[in-house]
Amino acid sequence: MVSQEDHRSGHVVVGVDTHKDIHVAAVMDPLVGIVGTLTIPTNTRGFAALETWAAAHGKIIAFGIEGTGSYGATLTSFLRRAGYKVVEAGRPDRRLRRMNGKSDTLDAENAARSVLAGLATATPKTADGQVEMIRLLKVAHDTAVTARTAAMITLKNVLVHAPDELRATTRRMTAATLARHLAALRPRGLDSVEDAQRHTLRSLARRWLALDTEAKDLNQQIGALVRSRAPQLLDRFGIGIDTAAEILIVAGDNPERIHSEAAFANRAGISPVPTGSGMTSGRHRINHGGHRQLNAAIYRTVIVRMRFHEPTLAYVQRRTAEGLSKREIIRCLKRYVIREVYHDIKHRPEAPEFAS
C-alpha cells in the first residue's frame, strides 16, 4: 500500500497566523495538502523551533505570514535573516470564513493555501532602515499633536467659565501666547471653584506647552531623516516634510517591492476600481481603500498646486474648458502627483552611515 509520504513533492509552503503571545503555523505540501500544524511562543526560541520543524517536512518554498507589520513583524525579520522568502498572506476571504468557520489553525492553513495558489504575493516591508525610523518618530509626533489639540480644546472649554477679568485678559490671544500666560498663573489655594479653575487652567496650559515642545522636537528629527533619505521628494512643488514622510512610510525601506506606478497608486487609494458588467462594461468608481493618510497628503499637495503652481493652474483651466468638474480634475492631478513621487522613491540615494 502506498503511504502519504510516498506522494509528497519534497517542497512545502508554511502559513502562519500571528498573535501577541503565540503563533500558529501550518505546513502544506503542494501534492498532499496540510501535513502538520505547530503552535510556538513569540520569541527567538519559538522562531527557531518553527524553522527546524518546517524544514523537516521538505524544502521551504515560502512563508505566508499574516500581519507582517504588526504581530508578525519579529518573525518576518527572523525568517528574512535566515534567507527565507516571506509573503504577506493577508486576511482570509470573508465568504470562505463564513462557510468554513474561524480558528487559528484554519487561518494558518488559509495563509499557506493563498501563497501556494498565488493569491498572496505582497512583499512585506523590511522595516530595518531610515524609513522605519521615520515611521516610529511619526507615531510619537502624531499622538503628541492629537493630545496637544485635545489639551487646547479642553483649556478653552474651562476658560469659558473663568472669571470675567481672566477671560478679558486672554481674549484674542494665540494658542501659544494663551498657554504661556495661563501656565504662569499662581493660584492662591484650593478653597473655591475659582481656585480650582486656576489650578486646572495652569495644568492644561503646562501640558500644552510640553506637548508643543515634544511635537516640534520630533518634527525636526523627522525632517532630518526625510532630507537624508529622499531629498528629491522635497524638491517637488507642494510636498513638505509631513507629505514626504507619509510617502516614504507607505513605500517602506524596500520600495522595489512596489512593481509599478499603478501599484503605488492603488496603495494610495488613487487608482479607479472597475465596476462594469454586461452592458455597463467600462465603468469605474472611486477607490475608497488604500492608505488614507497618504491619500490625504497627496490631496493637500494637489490643492497647493492648484492655488500657486503655474503649470497646474494652466492645466486646471484647460480641463475646465473641456467640461471636467473640479472633483474630476483633482482626481487626475492626484494621479499625476503619485506618478511623480513613485519615480522619486525608486531612486535611492546612498544613505549616510550612522556612528555607533
Side-chain angles (χ1 to χ4, degrees):
M1 182 176 179
V2 180
S3 66
Q4 189 183 56
E5 295 283 344
D6 298 328
H7 290 290
R8 290 190 180 181
S9 67
H11 295 77
V12 295
V13 172
V14 184
V16 185
D17 181 39
T18 59
H19 298 276
K20 181 180 179 180
D21 299 314
I22 62 168
H23 295 335
V24 179
V27 170
M28 170 174 279
D29 185 284
L31 299 181
V32 177
I34 299 297
V35 295
T37 60
L38 177 71
T39 300
I40 61 168
T42 56
N43 53 38
T44 305
R45 182 178 296 180
F47 301 159
L50 171 62
E51 180 187 1
T52 303
W53 171 78
H57 288 84
K59 185 176 181 180
I60 300 172
I61 300 173
F63 283 85
I65 301 177
E66 287 189 14
T68 57
S70 55
Y71 289 140
T74 50
L75 174 60
T76 300
S77 179
F78 176 89
L79 294 172
R80 271 185 162 159
R81 290 196 302 270
Y84 294 103
K85 179 182 178 181
V86 180
V87 178
E88 170 64 64
R91 295 181 61 184
D93 182 81
R94 291 184 177 181
R95 182 176 61 86
L96 295 177
R97 177 171 285 186
R98 285 195 297 268
M99 292 174 56
N100 301 328
K102 165 75 172 71
S103 72
D104 295 341
T105 302
L106 286 174
D107 286 347
E109 293 177 3
N110 288 331
R113 288 192 172 92
S114 65
V115 174
L116 192 60
L119 300 176
T121 59
T123 302
K125 299 176 183 177
T126 57
D128 58 358
Q130 287 181 313
V131 174
E132 179 64 8
M133 296 164 64
I134 293 170
R135 187 191 70 83
L136 292 171
L137 290 174
K138 201 165 188 311
V139 169
H141 173 268
D142 291 350
T143 53
V145 170
T146 301
R148 181 182 65 183
T149 303
M152 182 54 64
I153 291 172
T154 306
L155 184 149
K156 289 183 176 180
N157 287 339
V158 174
L159 188 60
V160 170
H161 304 284
D164 293 342
E165 181 183 353
L166 183 58
R167 285 191 289 117
T169 304
T170 57
R171 193 180 302 276
R172 298 188 182 185
M173 284 186 177
T174 63
T177 304
L178 177 64
R180 286 193 293 267
H181 179 81
L182 295 178
L185 288 177
R186 303 183 67 178
R188 293 180 292 274
L190 194 57
D191 302 319
S192 65
V193 173
E194 182 179 335
D195 292 338
Q197 287 174 341
R198 289 177 175 271
H199 276 287
T200 301
L201 289 170
R202 183 178 66 171
S203 175
L204 290 170
R206 290 178 175 179
R207 182 187 307 172
W208 189 94
L209 290 172
L211 288 168
D212 184 60
T213 301
E214 179 184 347
K216 288 178 179 177
D217 290 343
L218 288 167
N219 192 59
Q220 290 181 354
Q221 295 170 4
I222 292 169
L225 287 172
V226 169
R227 293 185 191 95
S228 173
R229 183 64 173 79
Q232 66 277 13
L233 280 177
L234 299 177
D235 293 336
R236 296 290 184 180
F237 194 99
I239 295 181
I241 295 296
D242 190 65
T243 300
E246 289 291 353
I247 293 168
L248 291 172
I249 289 169
V250 173
D253 284 298
N254 50 332
E256 61 276 4
R257 68 195 183 90
I258 303 175
H259 301 294
S260 67
E261 173 265 324
F264 193 48
N266 184 59
R267 287 180 180 273
I270 292 175
S271 60
V273 177
T275 58
S277 178
M279 298 299 293
T280 62
S281 179
R283 291 186 179 180
H284 295 78
R285 66 167 174 82
I286 298 174
N287 188 343
H288 296 290
H291 194 281
R292 304 316 299 173
Q293 288 85 354
L294 175 57
N295 189 295
I298 297 297
Y299 174 82
R300 291 193 295 270
T301 299
V302 168
I303 295 301
V304 170
R305 291 188 177 189
M306 290 176 68
R307 292 179 179 176
F308 307 108
H309 191 226
E310 289 298 333
T312 303
L313 290 170
Y315 175 84
V316 171
Q317 186 176 6
R318 176 170 62 84
R319 298 293 274 175
T320 301
E322 293 174 359
L324 269 67
S325 66
K326 181 179 178 180
R327 180 176 295 182
E328 291 170 330
I329 294 171
I330 289 174
R331 291 175 193 161
C332 295
L333 288 171
K334 286 168 71 175
R335 188 59 182 263
Y336 278 124
V337 173
I338 207 70
R339 184 178 297 121
E340 286 180 0
V341 300
Y342 169 74
H343 293 290
D344 285 339
I345 62 174
K346 295 290 280 189
H347 170 67
R348 301 177 62 183
E350 292 296 327
E353 294 184 1
F354 291 93
S356 58

